[in-house]
Amino acid sequence: MSRPELTGHASLFYNEKEARKYDSSSRMIGVQREITDRAIELLRLDDSKPSFVLDIGCGSGLSGQVLEEKGHVWVGCDVSRDMLTMAKERMDRQREEAQASQEKQNAMDEDNGDDDQSEEEEETEASTGDLLHHDMGTGLPFRPATFDACISISALQWLCYSNSAHQNPKRRLTRFFSSLYTVLKRGGRAVLQFYPETAEQAVLISETATKVGFSGGVVVDYPNSAKAKKHYLVLGFDRNNQAKQKGLATMSSANRQQVTVSGHSNNNNTRGKKQVPIRKKKGSKTKEWILHKKEVQRKKGKDVRPDSKYTGRKRPTKF
């Protein structure tokens, strides 16, 4: 199965048909709830009071529903109008059910005069969330220090792909992380769950986050499982106390994977530096240098001719 990011823009992939799946499939709902619970766990929110949480790529509102159940207030943004329509329908249903339950309980209280039971039933409330149609790659349109925390489920990897000539993945990631750094309150945290296609994408994402000022790291749950493997980018502001979260499952230190943002480190010894082939001298280009440059252009989404046995071959002298 091909990755949905390769099919085009996210707003086209998450159409009305796909949005209905997120509202009706018990498997998708279960997976979304499990990932959201894990993200909230990594946020380390104060359970004694409600927090104002930003949900980036909120989709049909499943992650927002989990936030509501834990007593938090949230704002969700998504690039797909169809997904936001599903989220609004869910919130409207929840509001109607809360009103109907309240009216029913009020009628029962008038008949029975049971005030204690009425107070207990009043705990059923409408949705505490709000929705916004927005592309996170253009930056987040909120005032500075607005949110206590931020979560994102299965959305961040979309910024690593370009769907038009004017879209540059690195620039879109920079705009996103710069605006996220601004809208979060100091001391707040962000947990962004994503599915990188390659290890280079995970490094690109983490390096971009640290360049704008974040500290933290990538937590990988179940790194040895092809299906259950999950990546969580945990970001904060405290560079003196680096995030050393442990991934789920019984993993030894040998097979635990973690990318530290502020250290630009991975499991290899490159220390986050890309190995770029060295050119011999000015004006000359080796075959390795040409192949490397073509690969870089492909990752940016540009049209590049396929490699062949003639790639990098020296042309004959002039007649």
Side-chain angles (χ1 to χ4, degrees), residues 90-219:
R90 183 195 64 80
M91 295 167 65
D92 290 341
R93 288 196 304 266
Q94 185 176 348
R95 186 178 297 107
E96 292 173 359
E97 291 174 358
Q99 292 177 353
S101 176
Q102 184 63 40
E103 292 175 358
K104 181 179 179 181
Q105 185 59 36
N106 290 339
M108 293 177 60
D109 293 340
E110 291 177 359
D111 295 338
N112 302 331
D114 190 353
D115 295 336
D116 295 336
Q117 186 176 358
S118 174
E119 293 179 358
E120 183 178 350
E121 289 293 334
E122 285 179 357
E123 295 180 0
T124 302
E125 297 179 355
S127 174
T128 59
D130 203 354
L131 302 172
L132 172 69
H133 178 252
H134 185 72
D135 181 6
M136 62 179 177
T138 61
L140 301 173
F142 302 104
R143 293 181 179 180
T146 299
F147 298 96
D148 300 311
C150 170
I151 65 169
S152 178
I153 309 300
S154 310
L156 186 58
Q157 71 273 4
W158 284 91
L159 295 181
C160 296
Y161 300 86
S162 58
N163 299 296
S164 61
H166 68 276
Q167 286 187 352
N168 183 290
K170 192 170 184 178
R171 291 178 183 174
R172 284 169 60 81
L173 282 167
T174 301
R175 281 196 296 265
F176 166 69
F177 283 117
S178 297
S179 59
L180 179 61
Y181 189 89
T182 302
V183 303
L184 276 180
K185 294 180 180 179
R186 293 302 173 264
R189 292 166 69 92
V191 176
L192 316 174
Q193 184 271 328
F194 65 105
Y195 293 101
E197 183 177 10
T198 62
E200 287 75 13
Q201 282 189 0
V203 173
L204 172 64
I205 290 172
S206 60
E207 286 183 345
T208 308
T210 190
K211 286 180 180 179
V212 303
F214 279 117
S215 64
V218 176
V219 177

Side-chain angles (χ1 to χ4, degrees), residues 12 14 28 39 81 121 125 149 197 202-203 208 212-213 223 231 246 256 261 263 278 309:
L12 300 178
Y14 292 108
M28 287 186 175
R81 292 188 181 276
E121 289 293 334
E125 297 179 355
E197 183 177 10
V203 173
T208 308
V212 303
H231 292 74
K246 294 182 179 180
R256 183 183 301 124
V261 172
I278 301 175
K309 64 180 181 179

